[in-house]
Amino acid sequence: MRRFHSILRRDLKLSYRQGSAISLSLSFFVIVILLFPLGVGPELNILSRISAGVVWVGALLACLLTLDRIFQADYEDGSLDLLVLGSLPLEMLILGKVCAHWISSVLPLIVISPILALSLNMNPAGIWVMMLALLIGTPTLSLIGAIGAALTVGMRRGGVLLSLLVLPLYIPVLIFGVAAVEAAIAVLPVSSHLMLLSGISLGALVVGPVAAAAALRLTFD
Amino acid sequence: MAIDLHKYANPRRFLKIISAIYPWSVAVTVILLVAGLYLGLFVAPPDYQQGETVRIMFVHVPAAWMALSIYTMMAVSSAVGLIWKHPVADLSAKAAAPIGASFTFLALVTGSLWGQPMWGTYWVWDARLTSMLVLLFLYLGYMAIWESFEDPNKAAKAATILILVGAINVPIIKFSVDWWNTLHQPASVATLQGPKIHSSILMPLLIMGSAYTSFFVMVWIIRVKAEILGRRLRILQMNALRDK
């Protein structure tokens, strides 16, 4: 457990010291969302109708943008070899890196999402549920993303392939995440959507590290 | 009754068996396709609501069945390859992928052609249509990852991981019409209460389904043969290089 913490701390520290990484994915998220009012037009009732989907799609894309950082930098400078050879089980190592990715790249998005949702004229009931749904659903994005990142880690120009591999698997999260927010806006029960999201997240928690570990072993064969 | 599967998985014996099956699969495909198309296009009665356009169903529905079954077959085959480390199983999944992608594409295209007269639009973002589109992307991703590794053994492993993770989507697609209330009609053939459609339509549908299946077997045999021979050629080339 202590070694798990040290991996988590190390990755968090790295992404914090690099600094620009967090602010880049944050500004990407903000810009993607601000493109929608410009593209769709500034009518508030249309914006409030699409706001749930826009925030979710923005979160998906921003997460996708940062996925290759889970393994790529460590792979390039050789420290991933050492980490893989170390005594920590590979699945735990990946879980630590995934946690670090979620905390450093996704959590900031969730924190500023209410402001962006307000700017899209989402109603307050929707905003609370949206934050809850993002909190429950986005770990899945990091977990599934880790599988894709591990599969493409050794490749040059793996980024495009990564999006082809990962985005189809993101769709269930998107569907239930948006459904929860829209149910909240329509004053319908939201718990079933949130429970489905939690179910997906728990499933990804089981499958993700194992599959990503298998993919990573492949690179070091 | 334990069958020694490894006996059949020996590439040489495997090639011999599938070569023996091949002419039969061609004959069965031709017979069933002709019979199914004749029954479906000329004999089956037009629908009381949809008229003659209902005949698209005989091309569309079996293609959708195949799209899902081939993905399932690939997942099983990859799992076998992962567990027993047998290269033929991986190659079998690889050979099936483009065929499955084609059936998915066929189902999407015929569905959209059917949607225009029935729903008044070529495409709606309903659960079944969207999930089938996702299935097409899963197939494309699977094929892309085979192409992006130099070493075929690594490519096989990577593809296996991807397809097993993606297999979670298969039940979602299958039950999407039951779970979400959408424009696409719910399941009517494989239900717990038995088929809900009249035998004059069910018969040609099942015959077309069998025709597609044997067509799949036929093309799959050609492709898997090519894959095995290609693998053998690669080994010969590497040996030749080494001996030089």
Side-chain angles (χ1 to χ4, degrees):
Chain A
M1 211 57 214
R2 217 189 61 226
R3 279 165 301 174
F4 176 79
H5 278 300
S6 62
I7 284 285
L8 183 62
R9 261 208 315 277
R10 167 186 177 276
D11 270 34
L12 282 178
K13 213 177 270 175
L14 275 175
S15 62
Y16 177 69
R17 298 263 162 87
Q18 278 164 355
S20 67
I22 294 177
S23 54
L24 272 181
S25 80
L26 257 183
S27 19
F28 177 81
F29 181 59
V30 175
I31 287 176
V32 165
I33 285 179
L34 294 188
L35 284 179
F36 278 89
L38 299 175
V40 180
E43 283 161 72
L44 285 180
N45 46 0
I46 293 180
L47 284 180
S48 73
R49 265 236 335 272
I50 62 170
S51 54
V54 169
V55 173
W56 265 100
V57 170
L60 243 66
L61 292 177
C63 178
L64 188 72
L65 194 71
T66 52
L67 277 182
D68 57 343
R69 270 195 296 134
I70 301 185
F71 301 116
Q72 195 74 43
D74 285 347
Y75 177 74
E76 276 163 5
D77 66 13
S79 47
L80 192 58
D81 301 45
L82 296 175
L83 289 173
V84 170
L85 286 175
S87 57
L88 187 65
L90 195 48
E91 285 80 8
M92 288 305 280
L93 169 77
I94 286 167
L95 199 58
K97 282 183 148 309
V98 167
C99 288
H101 170 260
W102 186 77
I103 294 171
S104 66
S105 321
V106 183
L107 201 55
L109 307 184
I110 302 179
V111 173
I112 63 157
S113 63
I115 304 171
L116 294 167
L118 267 181
S119 76
L120 292 172
N121 196 30
M122 188 190 284
N123 81 16
I127 290 178
W128 284 112
V129 174
M130 179 194 73
M131 287 192 72
L132 198 58
L134 281 170
L135 275 174
I136 299 174
T138 45
T140 315
L141 305 184
S142 296
L143 285 161
I144 295 176
I147 304 174
L151 279 172
T152 54
V153 69
M155 291 174 201
R156 270 169 290 143
R157 291 200 309 266
V160 184
L161 182 63
L162 180 64
S163 47
L164 180 62
L165 301 183
V166 164
L167 281 179
L169 299 174
Y170 276 2
I171 288 173
V173 182
L174 178 67
I175 291 174
F176 293 116
V178 173
V181 186
E182 283 180 346
I185 293 174
V187 206
L188 292 169
V190 294
S191 60
S192 62
H193 301 293
L194 293 180
M195 279 182 208
L196 273 165
L197 266 185
S198 329
I200 296 174
S201 275
L202 291 174
L205 188 65
V206 176
V207 176
V210 177
L216 212 53
R217 285 200 188 97
L218 203 65
T219 320
F220 291 107
D221 263 352
Chain B
M1 205 185 75
I3 305 170
D4 184 10
L5 281 176
H6 281 91
K7 201 171 81 189
Y8 299 104
N10 172 328
R12 185 167 303 164
R13 190 171 286 128
F14 183 73
L15 277 179
K16 224 160 113 192
I17 296 172
I18 60 174
S19 304
I21 299 175
Y22 179 68
W24 291 98
S25 69
V26 177
V28 171
T29 305
V30 172
I31 294 169
L32 286 179
L33 208 57
V34 170
L37 284 176
Y38 175 73
L39 286 176
L41 298 186
F42 297 105
V43 178
D47 189 78
Y48 75 101
Q49 268 183 328
Q50 311 190 354
E52 298 290 335
T53 50
V54 77
R55 299 188 193 286
I56 300 174
M57 179 175 76
F58 299 112
V59 184
H60 169 73
V61 174
W65 288 344
M66 293 308 290
L68 281 175
S69 349
I70 292 175
Y71 195 90
T72 315
M73 171 263 183
M74 284 163 63
V76 172
S77 189
S78 303
V80 169
L82 184 72
I83 296 166
W84 285 287
K85 309 227 180 305
H86 205 289
V88 171
D90 295 327
L91 292 182
S92 129
K94 184 189 180 191
I99 318 173
S102 312
F103 274 122
T104 315
F105 188 67
L106 180 67
L108 283 169
V109 169
T110 52
S112 123
L113 291 177
W114 195 8
Q116 171 58 22
M118 287 304 102
W119 301 336
T121 170
Y122 285 109
W123 184 263
V124 282
W125 291 99
D126 101 330
R128 177 53 70 79
L129 274 68
T130 314
S131 55
M132 281 303 275
L133 190 63
V134 173
L135 185 67
L136 183 64
F137 285 121
L138 287 175
Y139 274 120
L140 294 181
Y142 178 83
M143 281 146 66
I145 203 151
W146 265 103
E147 298 305 318
S148 49
F149 281 89
E150 293 268 311
D151 176 4
N153 293 322
K154 277 190 180 180
K157 270 264 192 62
T160 299
I161 296 169
L162 185 68
I163 199 144
L164 289 181
V165 172
I168 297 166
N169 268 1
V170 170
I172 297 184
I173 301 168
K174 170 76 183 82
F175 295 110
S176 57
V177 279
D178 303 326
W179 291 344
W180 289 281
N181 227 341
T182 51
L183 206 50
H184 198 283
Q185 66 156 343
S188 44
V189 176
T191 62
L192 285 176
Q193 289 82 36
K196 280 190 278 193
I197 47 182
H198 192 258
S199 61
S200 61
I201 289 180
L202 184 63
M203 268 321 281
L205 201 57
L206 291 180
I207 294 176
M208 281 303 283
S210 322
Y212 276 21
T213 312
S214 71
F215 174 80
F216 163 71
V217 171
M218 178 180 110
V219 182
W220 175 80
I221 288 178
I222 299 175
R223 291 190 49 86
V224 87
K225 239 174 166 174
E227 290 292 344
I228 293 176
L229 295 178
R231 185 65 74 90
R232 197 175 282 173
L233 183 67
R234 190 183 138 89
I235 294 171
L236 287 176
Q237 279 172 337
M238 303 236 299
N239 287 346
L241 279 176
R242 197 188 55 203
D243 295 340
K244 216 181 264 178

